[in-house]
Amino acid sequence: MTGTPSSISIPAELRPADGRFGSGPSKVRPEAVKALEARALDYLGTSHRRTGVRSVVGRLRAAMTELFGLGDGWEVVLGNGGSTGFWDAAAFSMIERRAQHLTFGEFSEKFSAVTAAAPHLDDPAVITAPYGSHPVPELDAGIDTYALTHNETSTGVAMSVAQPQLGASRHGTPPALVMVDATSAAGAMTWDPRDVDCYYFAPQKAFAADGGLFIALCSPAAIERIERIDASGRYKPATLDLAIAARNSRQDQTYNTPALATILLTLETAEWMLDGGGLAWAASRSATSSGAVYDWAADRDFASPFVADEAMRSPVVCTIDFEGVSADDIAAALRANDIVDTEGYRKLGRNQLRIAAFPAIEPSDAEALTACIDYIVERL
Ligand SMILES: *Cc1c(COP(=O)(O)O)cnc(C)c1O
């Protein structure tokens, strides 16, 4: 029996309880939305310069410190503009002269384009790897900032942020910094703050909140760099000035008005993760969900994980290639059954689905999704 994708009706008992599998914006837990509703009168619509909102920002900063086990002198810096805005801020406020970028997908390429275009910076060193894999950073005395990506959301490739060969640079005078784009990894993958100086993200991915905010966890060395560049007199637009952002964050504020809902939703997820058992617990949820998807794909003739090297396979974003059946048709059939945002990343141009496995997604739902795809493939 063959049908058009939208005519396939998946039996209710096979469907996941929640059909959101997008890689960002991603599933927001209904419990978090309820918590937001509960604060509809005393938090939403109140001044971000007053105690009500500032105490939520303070709790958010404390929750991040605890969740990531940040040591003395680390600061949680917040501001508007999401991760893309943070790239611009880093070009003005964190990179001294020359960055080394590891590029292996859309997001890491975008950041390298930012520093390449910045007139006050030297041309960056760019180390690239084919999509589906990742490069490794190279120690270079001329580099003051190494730009890594914990999880390349576009290709479903993850890398370790521990790169001991950079130690010589990081402990030099002045020290080089390791900056990690953790937009889709933060809260879903474990890491050790000793390996990193700036771990930044936006909360619409693993933190199951909404976009618009950047959260940058900054080591003492990163703070020192921000302050040194500030003192140097380099021109910085105020909204991209991390010295201003850090000063406001210390007061539990942002430089200009933030999205209050985003902040509360992010806090809800962070506290949910802490209550559940912390970062390792949250990461294990992602590992269970993605493991189910990869195992299933390896087991099917028509599917296979895009990332050949198992060690590079993302535990949070599964890219699955299909053969003999159209991934677009599968995604369309899923969508017709309220299972959404599994479409592949267009620019990769592959016959592929991209399935998020963030902590907020129930592992049982990830498993149910694979059963739904089996059901669809039998009928296409
Ligand atoms: C989504 C994403 C970004 C962009 O985040 P915005 O908040 O939309 O700017 C950057 N880097 C990675 C790895 C991402 O997944």
Side-chain angles (χ1 to χ4, degrees):
M1 192 177 90
T2 60
T4 58
S6 57
S7 69
I8 296 172
S9 173
I10 302 171
E13 64 273 17
L14 286 186
R15 293 190 200 184
D18 194 306
R20 291 173 290 175
F21 291 96
S23 298
S26 64
K27 175 187 168 185
V28 177
R29 292 169 55 254
E31 296 86 343
V33 178
K34 282 217 178 70
L36 180 63
E37 198 192 350
R39 302 295 305 269
L41 298 181
D42 71 339
Y43 170 81
L44 289 180
T46 72
S47 168
H48 66 112
R49 307 272 179 228
R50 298 285 170 181
T51 335
V53 173
R54 284 172 65 182
S55 71
V56 171
V57 173
R59 272 168 65 197
L60 177 62
R61 296 177 68 228
M64 291 296 168
T65 301
E66 187 182 346
L67 187 67
F68 293 111
L70 305 180
D72 283 351
W74 277 72
E75 295 190 29
V76 179
V77 178
L78 289 89
N80 286 320
S83 292
T84 304
F86 189 77
W87 291 331
D88 291 331
F92 278 105
S93 270
M94 192 166 282
I95 297 163
E96 188 114 40
R97 281 181 63 89
R98 187 161 194 242
Q100 180 184 96
H101 294 267
L102 303 189
T103 62
F104 51 112
E106 162 98 7
F107 294 110
S108 46
E109 284 164 14
K110 276 186 163 165
F111 187 21
S112 75
V114 167
T115 66
H120 59 282
L121 299 178
D122 292 350
D123 281 345
V126 178
I127 306 176
T128 256
Y131 290 169
S133 63
H134 69 74
V136 288
E138 289 167 14
L139 182 67
D140 178 340
I143 296 298
D144 58 75
T145 308
Y146 295 90
L148 277 50
T149 303
H150 206 175
N151 185 67
E152 208 0 300
T153 322
S154 62
T155 58
V157 171
M159 69 177 289
S160 170
V161 301
Q163 298 290 337
Q165 74 279 20
L166 302 182
S169 245
R170 292 186 65 221
H171 298 115
T173 26
L177 303 181
V178 170
M179 277 185 72
V180 177
D181 178 351
T183 308
S184 55
M189 292 177 67
T190 56
W191 59 287
D192 188 332
R194 284 173 296 194
D195 297 319
V196 176
D197 297 292
C198 177
Y199 192 82
Y200 64 93
F201 52 95
Q204 74 276 19
K205 299 193 179 167
F207 272 99
D210 213 346
L213 191 72
F214 74 72
I215 298 171
L217 316 176
C218 295
S219 75
I223 294 293
E224 194 274 332
R225 173 76 66 82
I226 290 168
E227 284 169 358
R228 188 149 43 82
I229 290 176
D230 189 40
S232 75
R234 175 192 286 175
Y235 166 71
K236 300 180 254 89
T239 56
L240 302 176
D241 187 333
L242 294 176
I244 293 177
R247 281 199 290 277
N248 277 276
S249 297
R250 284 172 202 134
Q251 311 281 322
D252 294 331
Q253 299 184 53
T254 48
Y255 175 59
N256 66 320
T257 315
L260 300 186
T262 302
I263 290 173
L264 193 80
L265 291 172
T266 309
L267 173 65
E268 279 301 315
T269 307
E271 292 187 340
W272 170 72
M273 288 174 175
L274 285 169
D275 288 347
L279 184 58
W281 171 80
S284 76
R285 285 175 62 88
S286 285
T288 303
S289 294
S290 53
V293 172
Y294 290 128
D295 287 351
W296 162 85
D299 205 50
R300 294 292 178 276
D301 296 336
F302 56 80
S304 56
F306 165 55
V307 179
D309 183 341
E310 280 188 43
M312 295 189 188
R313 270 179 211 163
S314 168
V316 284
V317 174
C318 307
T319 42
I320 305 295
D321 281 341
F322 286 82
E323 217 189 288
V325 54
S326 157
D328 285 347
D329 284 353
I330 296 172
L334 288 168
R335 195 170 275 285
N337 288 273
D338 300 325
I339 301 166
V340 301
D341 298 342
T342 60
E343 288 81 3
Y345 198 75
R346 289 285 150 218
K347 287 191 185 157
L348 272 185
R350 299 181 73 89
N351 187 35
Q352 186 173 94
L353 293 185
R354 188 172 58 144
I355 297 164
F358 294 125
I361 291 169
E362 290 302 328
S364 56
D365 278 353
E367 202 135 346
L369 172 63
T370 63
C372 290
I373 298 175
D374 282 342
Y375 186 90
I376 290 166
V377 169
E378 275 170 31
R379 284 159 183 80
L380 276 175

